[in-house]
Amino acid sequence: MNASDWLQFALFIGLLALITKPLGIYLTRVLDPHGRTWLDPILRPVERLTHRLMGVQPEAEQDWKRYTFAMLLFSIVGLVFTYAILRLQDVLPLNPQGLPALGHALAFNTAVSFTTNTNWQSYGGEATMSYLSQMVALTIHNFTSAATGIAIAAALVRGISRQSAKTLGNFWVDLVRVTYYLLLPICTVFAIFLVSQGMIQNFKPYDKAKLVEPVSITVEKKDDAGNTITGVDGQPASEKQVIEEQTIVQGPMASQIAIKMLGTNGGGYVNANAAHPFENPTPISNFVQMLSIFAIGSGLTYYLGRMTGNQAHGWSVWTAMMVLFVGGVLVCWWAEAQGNPIHQGLGIVAADGNMEGKEVRFGIFNSSLFATVTTAASCGAVNAMHDSFTAIGGLVPLFMMELGEVVIGGVGAGLYGMLVFVVLAVFIAGLMVGRTPEYLGKKIQAYEVKMAMITLLVLTLSILCFTAWASVSDWGLAGLNNAGPHGFSEILYAYSSATANNGSAFGGLTATPANGDPHYNITLGLAMLVGRFFMIVPIMAIAGSLVQKKISPPSAGTFPVSGGMFVVLLIGTVLLIGALNFLPALALGPIVEHFLTAQGTLF
């Protein structure tokens, strides 16, 4: 924990604060159908043409039910479209490697993953996806799923800011404007920047490089059909293979990585994700990618303040997010810097920290910061393997997801998730002072509280129920790389990541085993659907209820939704209501592993 790391951390927070206001102002214009931007001369005609082709009347706004139905319809069609491409990949063009089609379970998992902005990958991108699949099936979802999240957040903010109304905007208009005016322009510039840093962007076939020194490895022995051969002892037979050449991936990488980060998608073009030198070539690319993960989510907090006429409230929400984020970074950084006592007992210098699973070029701090950023923001990209973190270091990304992805969170999803906690915070404050709870002049009643609690219960039930099922099932245990509490953490992390629409993983879990068992792919896919859409529907119901209410002027007893007291109450609500549900599970996983590791126990 040296001075240069502290300086970089301060620079990260400072730059994020600096871009929040201008990005928030720009979002205000983009999310206003009549808002004017500097791109209007170029994009306004394209926008009008798109509306005509879609049969959309931009002036016709929708109530919360029609808005939600349009979002669900769009997502279902996109899911089926992606599933079809992946199942037909072997007969479609732009497949110079001749990669086969995906199986039904993996295609389902992947289609759901990218539709829900999760981008969980039960495959290695460079060995599974053709260029067409990467660009059309996956990258399109990187744009549309991000735009969908921002649109839902905008609809909820309109529900809060409008009064005595019925409509929340038009989903199709919001989707088009966010994609055209926000995501595409920024990603174009971002992709060019990434290419300047050394990231590839081409359509070349993969290159082959002959190794100077061939490498011998031991692998499972398979028959001609690709099935693992079992020995007389019932264990998989093994054989030695000599590797004489290395395959070097090529393809349209920069264009996918730009939206992967900016849209908090996270799906890697290659299996190593942002740890790969092609996906993350330099320290500058690493820093800018982390900053881009937070950029839009941070800007949306300013948009909240601008639209509600209470900018102090927007900054208070931002501050609450930052306090939780800084705390997470410091704990993860400290744990990784302390290192693994078992390694130290074998002669590893304690000052080196825990470098297992980390890129030497990034080191302890950048790995810890990236891990916290990507799990706080529902991105899921990784530049280090979280499975190799210490028990406490690995607990931090797990904890960030189980908070509900509200610490900046996914683009749009982080804001509407945090606003659920805001509703609960003002409700609790109202109960404490014996007044009807109010939020920005609107009374919070039983309906809004019920919908907010349904949202949180959906997250909790999905994570804990799927984890419990997998941890006592043969198919669940068969996918583990470790036993004991660390193995349990692998399962808990997988379903936390899927339900929170994050997409990162404890890499020890094998979701697609050699025997092709579909249980993990299917259950993880179901968890992603639950975490995305079963949460959006009650949140939109809250928006539909609030938009109809009148705004009352503040009185002497009105609880302020800005300032230090509100920030403390909001953080407390997030921790007590959002995270306390998972404390028993965390105690069985990373917490008990921490104490056992200190005693020298391995798993």
Side-chain angles (χ1 to χ4, degrees):
M1 302 177 80
N2 54 48
S4 63
D5 293 337
W6 284 107
L7 179 62
Q8 183 176 332
F9 192 26
L11 181 63
F12 180 85
I13 300 294
L15 287 178
L16 183 66
L18 284 176
I19 66 175
T20 295
K21 180 177 178 178
L23 194 51
I25 294 173
Y26 186 69
L27 280 163
T28 304
R29 297 173 181 173
V30 169
L31 292 166
D32 178 359
H34 305 290
R36 298 192 62 80
T37 74
W38 60 276
L39 290 169
D40 277 20
I42 301 172
L43 294 179
R44 185 69 78 169
V46 181
E47 180 188 3
R48 294 196 190 100
L49 176 61
T50 304
H51 289 156
R52 284 199 295 269
L53 293 174
M54 295 170 63
V56 172
Q57 296 181 358
E59 303 301 326
E61 291 201 348
Q62 301 163 320
D63 62 18
W64 79 269
K65 293 179 181 178
R66 292 179 60 203
Y67 197 103
T68 305
F69 177 78
M71 179 274 300
L72 292 173
L73 178 64
F74 176 76
S75 300
I76 291 171
V77 171
L79 191 156
V80 173
F81 172 74
T82 302
Y83 179 83
I85 289 180
L86 298 179
R87 292 287 285 148
L88 298 171
Q89 174 176 274
D90 56 333
V91 297
L92 292 173
L94 289 177
N95 186 9
Q97 316 311 319
L99 297 171
L102 275 65
H104 67 89
L106 181 56
F108 166 77
N109 179 280
T110 306
V112 169
S113 179
F114 280 79
T115 300
T116 58
N117 198 241
T118 307
N119 297 56
W120 168 279
Q121 294 175 289
S122 294
Y123 59 87
E126 66 268 47
T128 309
M129 295 294 172
S130 69
Y131 294 166
L132 183 75
S133 295
Q134 294 274 23
M135 291 190 303
V136 178
L138 306 186
T139 303
I140 285 179
H141 275 300
N142 286 349
F143 283 93
T144 58
S145 65
T148 297
I150 296 171
I152 296 298
L156 178 56
V157 172
R158 291 180 192 127
I160 296 168
S161 60
R162 295 179 180 181
Q163 62 175 325
S164 302
K166 293 183 178 179
T167 59
L168 299 168
N170 187 305
F171 171 75
W172 306 111
V173 174
D174 290 339
L175 181 74
V176 170
R177 286 187 63 82
V178 169
T179 303
Y180 284 176
Y181 291 92
L182 179 69
L183 299 178
L184 278 172
I186 298 178
C187 285
T188 300
V189 176
F190 193 13
I192 294 172
F193 163 78
L194 292 174
V195 170
S196 76
Q197 294 299 298
M199 192 175 294
I200 61 172
Q201 179 73 17
N202 59 52
F203 290 98
K204 293 171 55 180
Y206 291 2
D207 286 334
K208 299 284 187 180
K210 192 171 183 63
L211 298 182
V212 176
E213 296 182 2
V215 178
S216 296
I217 61 172
T218 302
V219 298
E220 291 184 353
K221 194 173 184 179
K222 298 182 182 294
D223 58 22
D224 294 338
N227 299 316
T228 300
I229 298 174
T230 304
V232 293
D233 57 355
Q235 298 298 317
S238 62
E239 62 181 353
K240 283 191 175 181
Q241 283 187 1
V242 178
I243 301 176
E244 297 182 347
E245 64 180 15
Q246 179 182 1
T247 300
I248 300 176
V249 65
Q250 299 292 333
M253 188 178 291
S255 56
Q256 180 165 323
I257 303 308
I259 185 58
K260 155 191 166 178
M261 296 302 189
L262 191 74
T264 60
N265 294 283
Y269 189 93
V270 296
N271 198 34
N273 209 283
H276 195 286
F278 279 5
E279 280 207 24
N280 201 357
T282 67
I284 295 177
S285 74
N286 185 70
F287 185 87
V288 175
Q289 285 186 45
M290 288 190 292
L291 193 63
S292 68
I293 293 171
F294 267 11
I296 294 177
S298 184
L300 280 168
T301 62
Y302 192 88
Y303 167 77
L304 168 67
R306 188 93 165 196
M307 291 296 293
T308 57
N310 189 337
Q311 204 64 66
H313 173 56
W315 282 116
S316 295
V317 171
W318 186 88
T319 302
M321 292 177 172
M322 284 297 103
V323 170
L324 291 167
F325 167 68
V326 170
V329 173
L330 294 179
V331 171
C332 186
W333 183 14
W334 170 84
E336 295 308 297
Q338 294 300 304
N340 189 320
I342 298 177
H343 290 174
Q344 292 162 11
L346 297 174
I348 302 297
V349 179
D352 293 339
N354 176 36
M355 280 300 295
E356 181 188 343
K358 297 179 179 66
E359 278 278 312
V360 176
R361 60 201 178 101
F362 296 139
I364 297 290
F365 171 71
N366 273 289
S367 300
S368 302
L369 178 60
F370 201 113
T372 310
V373 167
T374 195
T375 49
S378 183
C379 180
V382 296
N383 74 348
M385 300 302 106
H386 297 177
D387 195 41
S388 295
F389 278 28
T390 62
I392 300 301
L395 182 147
V396 170
L398 184 56
F399 185 72
M400 286 292 169
M401 294 185 294
E402 291 175 348
L403 287 178
E405 293 286 19
V406 296
V407 182
I408 296 297
V411 284
L415 180 62
Y416 64 66
M418 181 59 93
L419 288 177
V420 169
F421 284 107
V422 169
V423 168
L424 293 176
V426 298
F427 174 72
I428 293 170
L431 292 180
M432 288 192 295
V433 298
R435 284 178 53 90
T436 301
E438 290 184 4
Y439 174 43
L440 295 173
K442 293 188 174 183
K443 295 188 183 300
I444 300 300
Q445 296 171 304
Y447 182 80
E448 290 82 24
V449 176
K450 288 177 182 177
M451 292 300 105
M453 289 309 302
I454 288 174
T455 302
L456 298 181
L457 287 173
V458 162
L459 178 76
T460 304
L461 290 174
S462 176
I463 293 174
L464 297 181
C465 290
F466 279 121
T467 299
W469 182 17
S471 63
V472 297
S473 301
D474 291 340
W475 58 266
L477 299 175
L480 297 181
N481 187 50
N482 297 90
H486 192 83
F488 177 77
S489 295
E490 289 177 348
I491 298 175
L492 179 63
Y493 194 106
Y495 289 106
S496 298
S497 177
T499 304
N501 299 139
N502 182 272
S504 64
F506 265 19
L509 183 74
T510 302
T512 306
N515 63 4
D517 189 297
H519 280 87
Y520 266 122
N521 279 327
I522 293 175
T523 54
L524 287 167
L526 293 174
M528 295 174 210
L529 290 172
V530 169
R532 179 73 162 183
F533 301 116
F534 281 52
M535 294 180 69
I536 284 179
V537 172
I539 286 172
M540 288 299 294
I542 294 174
S545 175
L546 291 177
V547 77
Q548 301 178 54
K549 298 186 177 185
K550 293 182 179 180
I551 297 178
S552 303
S555 64
T558 300
F559 180 76
V561 289
S562 61
M565 183 182 297
F566 172 73
V567 170
V568 171
L569 179 63
L570 181 55
I571 292 172
T573 304
V574 171
L575 292 175
L576 292 176
I577 298 179
L580 202 58
N581 295 321
F582 301 101
L583 183 59
L586 293 172
L588 292 173
I591 294 176
V592 70
E593 181 188 356
H594 170 71
F595 290 109
L596 292 174
T597 301
Q599 297 177 0
T601 304
L602 294 171
F603 306 100

